[in-house]
Amino acid sequence: MSTSQQPDPRDRPARLTVGVVGAGRVGPALAASLQLAGHRPVAVSGVSDASRRRAALLLPDVPLVPPAEVLQRADLVLLTVPDDTLPALVAGLAETGAVRPGQLLVHTSGRYGAKVLDPALRAGALPLALHPAMTFTGTPVDVQRLAGCSFGVTAPEELRLAAEALVIEMGGEPEWIAEERRPLYHAALALGANHLVTLVAQSMELLREAGVEAPDRMLGPLLGAALDNALRSGDAALTGPVARGDAGTVAAHVEELRKHAPQTVAGYLAMARATADRALAHGLLKPELAQDLLGVLATGTDGIDGTEGDAR
């Protein structure tokens, strides 16, 4: 990281005691990363056996205590709970007097900005939204993956430098996201990362059905190259039968999927339509070939609900 990206030392947070409310896959990893930067984890809360195991693995010797006690002990509190749980948790902590004035309260939800922390702000806390754009496993590898990971940062303007400094201390790259754009930002990440896992898992299942013994080994180089090309070139990286307008090949795909994996047909057709639209818009799919292709994609939905259709 270049020195120009480093915050002024005067803007760096002092060494802080760190607490984690919600020992899912994210919280312990972030706390462990902050520990490497010189901060001191002092308390973590977790209910399930899996949460307790993760805390013990990533934050050994850090005591497990109730959420209110985490806030009592820590200067910086990571609220790493599911999105739907966050508003009620913040409101409850504020109502019970657990929030201390001057306490840094950080949530890691992609969906919400800083306003979800307003009840804590009224109690004197300093609200930060720091969302790591990364998938987590709940193991030590997560700490390594934070190096160079982008974080969606939203905070009051006066806390922006402190928020960005914390991200940099964890090895991440801060990316400022306006409060009103948080849902769109999160939808974009979910579209790319979450759906990618589904697509890859389905592809591996189909390859096994086709007799491939090591689908992961077959897909690894292909998908790695496709991802690299897409990140470099965007829609210009589109290849395959849809982008070429090979209607007969696409029809054969749909027919085979209906026979062997009917649950994948709707997803295949939806992605093929989206690919065709983008290929047309960028001049990759010739209009004279698009008509037959779009016809296949339109009739391909027949039979999904149990009726028979002509998939060519």
Side-chain angles (χ1 to χ4, degrees), residues 7-27:
D8 188 294
R10 292 169 296 180
D11 298 322
R12 293 170 65 88
R15 301 306 92 186
L16 301 169
T17 54
V18 178
V20 179
V21 176
R25 297 182 180 184
V26 179

Side-chain angles (χ1 to χ4, degrees), residues 73-260:
R73 299 187 182 196
D75 302 316
L76 165 63
V77 179
L78 302 171
L79 303 179
T80 52
V81 298
D83 290 358
D84 289 349
T85 305
L86 182 62
L89 172 66
V90 175
L93 292 172
E95 289 170 3
T96 58
V99 178
R100 293 188 284 109
Q103 189 169 48
L104 283 165
L105 212 57
V106 177
H107 80 71
T108 58
S109 166
R111 170 185 172 188
Y112 291 109
K115 287 190 178 299
V116 72
L117 298 172
D118 276 355
L121 174 64
R122 290 190 289 270
L126 306 177
L128 309 176
L130 307 179
H131 175 253
M134 178 54 62
T135 182
F136 288 80
T137 63
T139 66
V141 71
D142 296 333
V143 180
Q144 302 170 22
R145 286 179 173 174
L146 289 174
C149 167
S150 292
F151 279 66
V153 176
T154 306
E157 186 62 35
E158 60 272 20
L159 295 176
R160 179 168 179 165
L161 288 177
E164 293 177 343
L166 280 172
V167 170
I168 291 171
E169 286 196 322
M170 287 186 282
E173 296 283 349
E175 186 74 38
W176 187 256
I177 308 294
E179 179 79 31
E180 66 276 11
R181 294 298 178 92
R182 292 288 290 207
L184 178 61
Y185 152 81
H186 196 224
L189 294 180
L191 182 65
N194 301 156
H195 297 172
L196 176 63
V197 174
T198 300
L199 290 172
V200 173
Q202 286 184 342
S203 182
M204 290 177 65
E205 289 174 355
L206 293 171
L207 286 172
R208 290 192 190 96
E209 178 72 14
V212 175
E213 293 185 0
D216 53 340
R217 187 168 65 236
M218 177 176 284
L219 284 175
L222 172 65
L223 298 184
L227 177 59
D228 184 65
N229 291 342
L231 292 175
R232 291 173 183 270
S233 305
D235 288 303
L238 285 171
T239 62
V242 173
R244 291 192 299 266
D246 291 342
T249 298
V250 172
H253 288 177
V254 175
E255 183 177 356
E256 285 300 298
L257 291 176
R258 276 224 182 91
K259 291 178 183 177
H260 299 283

